[in-house]
Structures are given as C-alpha cells and as structure tokens.
Amino acid sequence: MKMKGPTKKEPLIFTIIGGGLTGTSMLCQFVAGVQAALLKKKRLPSPIQIHIIEKNQVFGPGFPHSDQNAMPFHLINMCARDMSILVSKPNDFQSWADRHNHKIEKSFPEVLETGGKRLGPDPECRHYPRPTMGEYLKARFKQAVSEAENMGIRVRLFPGHEVVNLWEKANNRVQIKVLNLESGIEMALLANRVLLATGHWFVERNDLRYFASPWPAGFLQSHIPEDAKVAIIGTSLSAIDAVLTLTAQGTFSDTASGELRYRPTEKTRHLTLYSRKGLLPSVRGRRGPYKNRFLTPKKIQVLINQEKELTLEDLFALLNMDLKEAYGRPFPWKWVTDPEKTPTERLQKHIHDVRHGDGPQGELIWQTVLQQVFPMVRELYLALPRKERVRFERDFSTLFFTHAAPMPMVNALKLEALMQSGILRVRQLLESPSFKMKGDLFCFVYKGSNSEKLTDTHPFLVDARGQSRFYNRNPQALAANLLKSGTVQIEPVVLEIGKERIKNGCAAEAPPDGTGSLWVDPFTHRVQRMGTNGRVIISDSIFAVGAMTRGQIIDASMAHGSAVSTQTIALNWVDEIFSGRIN
C-alpha cells in the first residue's frame, strides 16, 4: 500500500534514539498507526521519514535481551503473556513463541523442560530465556521496517552511532548531533519529533574487582576468579541473574527424591547477597479465579474524586479488604516479612506455598489479588500526591516489587540448592552506604542471626541493584549535555517534612527524597522544564520513555509499561501528521 498525497514537500522526520525494546515498540506502533490511518482513506499531507539511532550493531534486543549480555539460564521473570510490546496485541510475544516453539526448545533445552518439578504451577505462565525475547524483538523490528517501506516511508537506520547532544530550534525542529562510534566522525541531523529511548545506563569504574552491573554475564565469568569470595549488592531479580552467572560452572541435578541439588566444581565462587531488607523476591504461583471487588479502577476513581488527598493507607485498606474477601478471613501480614525466619526458611516457605497453593484450585490467592493491580499501577501511582509517591519509594517500593514481580519456580529451586550447598548467603545491611573500603577489600556491616552487628569483607563486588532512577547519574554524553543546556531537567521536588521545607526546583542533583527522574509530563511523555518566569514549559518536539522516567512512571522499565507509553506517543504523532499540526 503506497502513500497518497504530495511528494514534493519537505518530509516529516521522526527520530527514535535507541533501538532496543522501547524503540522497537515505538517503531511498531507508530507504523501501525500510520497504516491504520491510511486504511481509513486519510490523506497524508507530507512524506514521512523515520530515523533510528542505536549504539549497537543490532536493532531490537537492547541491553537486557541481547545474547551478547544474557545467557540461556537467564529467564524473563514475567510471564510471556505479559511481555508483548504491542498494546493492541497483548499476547503477541506468547503467540510468537508458540509459532517458534520447536526452534526455542532446540536452542534452550536445559531450561525448557516439558515436565518435572522445575516448571511453575501455572501452565499458562511461561518463562523464556532473555535471548528469546531478543529474537522476538529483532523479528518485530524487521517486520515494522518492511511494513513502513511498503507504505513508502523511508526508514534510515544508524547502527553503531550515538547521539551526543540535541536541542530544539526556533521552528520546532530538533537539531541532533550524532557520533559514528567506529570512525569518530560527527554528523548533524534534523527532526520534527524525537523520542529518547536510550534504555539502561551503568556507571563504569576502572577497577576489575568492582563491577557496576551484572552484565555482560560473560564479562563477570571471565574476570572474577572461580574460587573468589564475591559480594553482590541487591537481592532482586538482577542479583539472582548474577548468582546464576557466577555459579554456572557447577551443575544442578535432581536427587532420587526429586529435590534439586547443586554440585560445585573443585574451584567454586562463594557468594553473599546484601540488601537493606534482605528479602528475596517471592515465587510465582498459579493465578486463581478471584476477581477484585475493592481494589478496582472504579473504586480508586471514587477515592480520587473525593476532596481529600489519596494516601497509601487508602490503597492499602482496599487491598486488605480484597484479601479478606478472597480468603474469608483476615490476611496474616506477618508472614510477608517474618523477621524470625532466615532467608532460606522464607524461600522454602514460598516454594512450598507455590507448589501447594492456598486456594481451592491450587492457586496463590494473594498473588491473584495483587497481580490484578499491575494494569492500573501507573494510574494509582500518579494519583498519589507527591509526598505519598516519595514515601512509597522510600518505604514500600522494595516490598511491593518483591511480591508483585515474583521469580520463576526454577530460579527459586536453584537458589535453594545453592543456599543448602553453602555457596550462597543472604544478608540484611545495617549501614548506609552499602559498603566501605577496608584496605583493598569491600567491607559490609550486616545483621546476624541473633540481630547482632557483624562485618564481612570481599575482594570482589558486583552491584546488581538494577537501574538507578537518578538521571543525573547517567554517564552518557547525551544525558550530561541535555542537563547542562537545560533541554531536560530533573523532576522538581517540593516536600514538607516537619517544619523544614525542602525545595529542589530543577537542579541537576535531586535530594535523597526526590525521584531523580528526567522530568516529563507523565500523561504525554513530553519532556518539560521550568521557564525563567516560573512557568512549566512542555516540549512540542522531544519525548522520553524508559528507565530515565522511572521516578515518575512506576512501570517505566517493564515491557508492558513501555508499550503503553510508546503507544501514547505513537498515536499523538499520527494525529499530528494527519491533522497537519506538524510544520
């Protein structure tokens, strides 16, 4: 289907900076939006070009799903049914995986057993290796480029290029400075609209005993000796991936009784996970039939419409009412963070609960209730006043994601086997910052089994706390230049704490209680900044999605969250094209 309309006009140029999951989702949904408009016989006022700029040579996988970073045993913790990058096709990834099932099982036989105790209890929830998601993203990217070209849209790809700066010009166009990473030559591009989708970043250190990220996994394996004593900061899903990376030289096998055991090699690394709460993620169980009656969009809207501000207590009360309704009795909250249990005991209880369930169909009722919150978690978060959002980040974020984003059963069983072998320990930190240097060693202060203060030292350290939400800590040249020029700003924070007023207008460094996010309008994803007259200026041309907005968009780093955000922008761009509002 070729485009209709004039061809002599200057083309409208839409630039996507970043060709990973978010950039791919944007490309797919933008192309689909233009296609849908043309099918409705709408007339295109100008030709269209799409520019996509990516530091790597491959488009689609991005950082977390690249086979250059992840290994076959690194599983996507979310169910495949929840990993689509297309809002209009929520089951797209699972459908793609079903069509390529034979190839997937051939490529990853060790993690895709068709039976046995390692599979989770929910047959509808499949966890695929991260590189499988990468193949899906490559396929969708290639398909979108083909569909765009079939419509007459010119798609220009810039692999191995990095955007180092951009700024808005007076005519609502964006000037983009691009560096060819191989030749070192800079070039200039213009665009009518730009999406910042640069993904994850990590602060590098020139110390081969400190690793600022668990990725690439092969780098950890090759640079940390096999008999090393290693500290890992974090107990979340990234930390679990780091554990699996550093124990991959050993083997997991089933005993005669069906339990999973770990057999280390002669030289083996000993690992300790450290975090503020010392909590591992829960384990994903079967989803049951219960439908929330209280924590629902309708009930939330009633609270929002009330004159008083929405609080975390309001939301917790609704959650508690649903749990009580679902169980037929008050929910025993004590077990969630039971301080009397060791990390191993808590993990074993999670595994037991998942295997047996606590509902009539073997489901986990509390997970059934909580998982229904995910589709509306962004709206809930944005409905909270600023002070409540900061309070959530400070006091409840870890606990929420520990239970709302559970790990696959196979990973839980591997962790249990590693703990029982003495290879892995989990510790709760007692001091901040996380560690201090003691000579050449990383020293940690943690809580002992009798609540006493203990210390331990390690010659190697992996920071697996995941993506920082403070954009001013992004070491990329583009981030530094955007902040320096004021093209983007950190989300301003104004809080009342006792009698003290803490104000951070738009400084590059957010206070500890601030979100640290690149400031966007959370409903349109347009970047915004404070003008000299104190008025908020919302950009017409520059948009941002992904980890850089984590402080405002609670699900910014999740596939579904990215899809929802990029769909919003794609629909806006399509509407501007066909209404003639872009000049």
Side-chain angles (χ1 to χ4, degrees):
M1 175 176 57
K2 294 292 183 180
M3 287 186 170
K4 299 177 180 179
T7 58
K8 294 183 179 180
K9 286 188 175 182
E10 285 290 317
L12 299 175
I13 301 175
F14 299 86
T15 298
I16 302 172
I17 303 175
L21 184 148
T22 299
T24 300
S25 177
M26 181 66 198
L27 174 65
C28 292
Q29 298 191 109
F30 179 49
V31 169
V34 173
Q35 194 173 48
L38 292 175
L39 288 172
K40 293 179 180 178
K41 308 298 183 183
K42 290 187 177 181
R43 186 177 181 83
L44 193 71
S46 299
I48 296 175
Q49 288 187 17
I50 302 174
H51 297 175
I52 307 169
I53 305 167
E54 167 59 40
K55 290 192 294 184
N56 297 309
Q57 293 295 328
V58 178
F59 291 88
F63 191 86
H65 302 109
S66 168
D67 57 9
Q68 300 300 305
N69 292 315
M71 293 182 170
F73 48 78
H74 293 131
L75 302 183
I76 302 168
N77 67 290
M78 299 297 290
C79 302
R81 66 191 176 206
D82 300 322
M83 289 294 292
S84 171
I85 60 169
L86 309 175
V87 174
S88 63
K89 298 178 180 178
N91 203 42
D92 189 58
F93 175 50
Q94 182 63 75
S95 298
W96 179 91
D98 289 341
R99 291 194 299 275
H100 296 82
N101 185 62
H102 178 72
K103 183 178 179 181
I104 293 172
E105 290 191 349
K106 185 177 179 180
S107 301
F108 307 105
E110 67 277 17
V111 292
L112 293 174
E113 298 100 338
T114 56
K117 292 186 176 180
R118 297 188 200 178
L119 283 181
D122 187 349
E124 296 181 359
C125 178
R126 300 297 303 272
H127 299 280
Y128 292 94
R130 288 185 182 277
T132 301
M133 183 71 181
E135 291 302 312
Y136 160 74
L137 292 168
K138 284 192 284 187
R140 286 291 171 264
F141 187 94
K142 183 178 180 181
Q143 178 183 348
V145 170
S146 177
E147 291 177 352
E149 291 176 342
N150 287 339
M151 290 188 290
I153 296 175
R154 184 187 179 194
V155 180
R156 294 185 65 190
L157 302 181
F158 297 85
H161 287 70
E162 180 180 5
V163 175
V164 294
N165 204 359
L166 61 85
W167 57 92
E168 289 180 281
K169 296 169 70 71
N171 59 359
N172 276 337
R173 287 202 169 191
V174 180
Q175 182 80 46
I176 305 172
K177 188 176 181 181
V178 184
L179 174 68
N180 184 314
L181 295 176
E182 182 178 356
S183 68
I185 297 174
E186 290 185 349
M187 60 186 295
L189 297 174
L190 281 175
N192 297 89
R193 296 290 182 268
V194 171
L195 171 64
L196 300 174
T198 50
H200 295 76
W201 68 84
F202 300 99
V203 178
E204 297 181 3
R205 280 180 51 163
N206 296 320
D207 181 352
L208 289 182
R209 297 176 305 108
Y210 174 94
F211 301 83
S213 160
W215 314 108
F219 188 79
L220 287 191
Q221 290 181 339
S222 62
H223 286 78
I224 298 180
E226 291 188 358
D227 58 352
K229 182 181 177 185
V230 186
I232 300 175
I233 306 179
T235 51
S236 64
L237 300 163
S238 294
I240 293 171
D241 283 340
V243 168
L244 297 178
T245 296
L246 295 174
T247 57
Q249 76 275 17
T251 57
F252 292 95
S253 59
D254 289 313
T255 65
S257 61
E259 294 181 325
L260 191 65
R261 287 289 180 264
Y262 178 73
R263 178 178 297 177
T265 55
E266 184 176 347
K267 290 184 178 181
T268 187
R269 303 177 182 97
H270 285 75
L271 315 175
T272 304
L273 298 178
Y274 292 98
S275 70
R276 289 187 303 115
K277 296 185 181 296
L279 293 175
L280 291 169
S282 59
V283 185
R284 187 174 293 275
R286 181 188 293 271
R287 188 166 62 184
Y290 177 79
K291 301 298 182 184
N292 288 5
R293 293 182 53 197
F294 302 98
L295 193 55
T296 63
K298 185 176 181 180
K299 294 290 179 67
I300 296 298
Q301 194 58 51
V302 171
L303 287 178
I304 294 173
N305 292 339
Q306 293 177 356
E307 291 185 5
K308 74 180 190 70
E309 289 186 332
L310 188 65
T311 67
L312 291 174
E313 282 74 18
D314 293 329
L315 300 180
F316 181 82
L318 294 178
L319 173 62
N320 209 31
M321 290 168 69
D322 262 316
L323 289 170
K324 184 177 180 180
E325 177 78 11
Y327 280 100
R329 62 183 186 279
F331 183 68
W333 282 101
K334 180 183 177 181
W335 76 266
V336 174
T337 57
D338 190 351
E340 298 178 2
K341 292 185 180 296
T342 66
T344 302
E345 290 171 338
R346 283 197 293 266
L347 178 62
Q348 289 172 335
K349 185 179 187 318
H350 280 302
I351 292 172
H352 175 273
D353 289 348
V354 166
R355 280 177 168 162
H356 300 281
D358 58 9
Q361 299 180 21
E363 75 271 24
L364 271 182
I365 295 176
W366 66 267
Q367 277 191 11
T368 300
V369 171
L370 197 56
Q371 286 175 21
Q372 293 176 63
V373 179
F374 255 118
M376 56 180 177
V377 68
R378 180 183 303 192
E379 288 73 17
L380 289 177
Y381 190 73
L382 293 175
L384 291 168
R386 181 75 58 80
K387 63 182 180 182
E388 289 293 282
R389 278 185 274 156
V390 172
R391 181 179 162 217
F392 172 85
E393 290 287 348
R394 185 181 61 232
D395 299 333
F396 300 104
S397 178
T398 298
L399 188 61
F400 174 77
F401 283 106
T402 293
H403 292 87
M407 63 176 137
M409 172 66 97
V410 62
N411 284 356
L413 294 174
K414 286 182 176 181
L415 290 183
E416 181 188 29
L418 289 167
M419 288 177 171
Q420 291 179 338
S421 71
I423 301 295
L424 175 66
R425 302 180 301 173
V426 179
R427 300 289 186 238
Q428 181 179 355
L429 289 169
L430 289 179
E431 292 187 356
S432 182
S434 302
F435 67 92
K436 298 178 181 177
M437 297 305 299
K438 190 174 182 180
D440 291 334
L441 300 176
F442 302 97
C443 183
F444 292 80
V445 179
Y446 66 93
K447 182 178 180 181
S449 57
N450 296 315
S451 298
E452 71 274 29
K453 181 183 289 189
L454 299 175
T455 62
D456 200 358
T457 56
H458 306 263
F460 293 90
L461 171 62
V462 179
D463 191 336
R465 287 174 288 188
Q467 178 62 65
S468 169
R469 57 190 173 89
F470 293 95
Y471 188 65
N472 60 293
R473 297 177 186 172
N474 186 334
Q476 297 170 352
L478 176 60
N481 288 330
L482 289 177
L483 288 169
K484 183 178 180 180
S485 66
T487 302
V488 304
Q489 292 177 335
I490 301 299
E491 181 191 14
V493 176
V494 179
L495 298 175
E496 294 286 349
I497 302 179
K499 294 183 179 180
E500 297 184 25
R501 184 173 179 84
I502 297 178
K503 182 173 182 179
N504 171 41
C506 290
E509 181 72 40
D513 288 317
T515 67
S517 169
L518 183 151
W519 195 17
V520 298
D521 176 349
F523 301 101
T524 66
H525 291 276
R526 298 175 184 267
V527 302
Q528 53 187 21
R529 56 190 174 85
M530 193 72 70
T532 54
N533 57 1
R535 296 181 62 183
V536 175
I537 300 173
I538 301 178
S539 173
D540 288 327
S541 308
I542 305 174
F543 300 71
V545 172
M548 68 190 81
T549 66
R550 167 66 179 83
Q552 293 172 271
I553 312 298
I554 192 172
D555 57 347
S557 297
M558 301 175 68
H560 175 74
S562 288
V564 170
S565 297
T566 52
Q567 184 197 51
T568 298
I569 300 170
L571 293 176
N572 174 267
W573 286 5
V574 171
D575 180 63
E576 287 187 316
I577 290 171
F578 289 95
S579 66
R581 291 203 301 271
I582 300 181
N583 51 41

